[in-house]
Amino acid sequence: MGDKAYILVLNGPNLNLLGKRQPEIYGSRTLDDILADLRSHFAARIRIADFQSNSEDRLITWIQDYGFDEHCLGIVLNAGAYTHTSLAIADAIAAVPAPVVEVHLSNIFARESVRHTSYIAPVCAGSISGFGEDSYFLAVEALLRKKHR
């Protein structure tokens, strides 16, 4: 990613459908809208890199590739449904030195019981859910504050 510090924002399955998929839960804005707002809001402080994939193996590869990059200040990860199923993603997070903040648009604890368990939370620096797109902003801010401690 070059020699300038950045935060990586990773999005998992079905997040490419934001704005179309269940707007009563996930809102009406697209992932591109949220990412553009993140870049604009934090432009003076940090560069935002991002990827989205419906594929577990691609998410793991990005965590491994960027999680060891000395310029990566941290990873904001919305793993979508993989949050509740993927030990492989949890293992990748545990393997890298970059701090990872788990994010969710909806409050996963106010939803179906299957969504109450996160396999990635125990290996993340923190978890933020239920604040809609603000969950991403809170996660980036938390990583920036962590950098200065």
Side-chain angles (χ1 to χ4, degrees):
M1 290 295 313
D3 60 354
K4 184 178 179 191
Y6 65 93
I7 289 175
L8 179 63
V9 178
L10 284 182
N11 287 280
N14 299 311
L15 290 157
N16 57 310
L17 297 177
L18 288 180
K20 300 176 192 172
R21 175 185 176 220
Q22 297 172 287
E24 68 281 2
I25 296 174
Y26 301 109
S28 59
R29 301 197 66 226
T30 68
L31 182 58
D32 286 340
D33 293 337
I34 294 168
L35 292 167
D37 286 352
L38 273 177
R39 284 192 178 89
S40 175
H41 183 80
F42 289 105
R45 298 172 64 196
I46 193 74
R47 189 164 56 93
I48 302 291
D50 73 275
F51 295 106
Q52 185 279 326
S53 180
N54 295 321
S55 171
E56 183 180 31
D57 67 317
R58 292 197 67 189
L59 294 169
I60 291 166
T61 298
W62 288 323
I63 291 166
Q64 292 174 354
D65 288 350
Y66 292 92
F68 285 103
D69 183 347
E70 65 185 19
H71 301 294
C72 181
L73 298 183
I75 299 170
V76 173
L77 174 61
N78 186 339
Y82 289 137
T83 299
H84 320 292
T85 64
S86 183
L87 291 173
I89 290 176
D91 287 348
I93 294 167
V96 300
V100 176
V101 177
E102 171 188 20
V103 300
H104 299 283
L105 295 163
S106 66
N107 179 351
I108 61 174
F109 301 103
R111 298 188 60 197
E112 309 92 329
S113 61
V114 70
R115 296 182 192 272
H116 296 180
T117 300
S118 170
Y119 287 136
I120 66 174
V123 293
C124 286
S127 300
I128 301 170
S129 72
F131 293 99
E133 64 188 76
D134 287 343
S135 294
Y136 288 91
F137 288 82
L138 294 167
V140 171
E141 189 65 45
L143 288 169
L144 289 172
R145 288 176 181 255
K146 187 172 183 65
K147 174 191 165 227
H148 295 294
R149 288 187 181 163

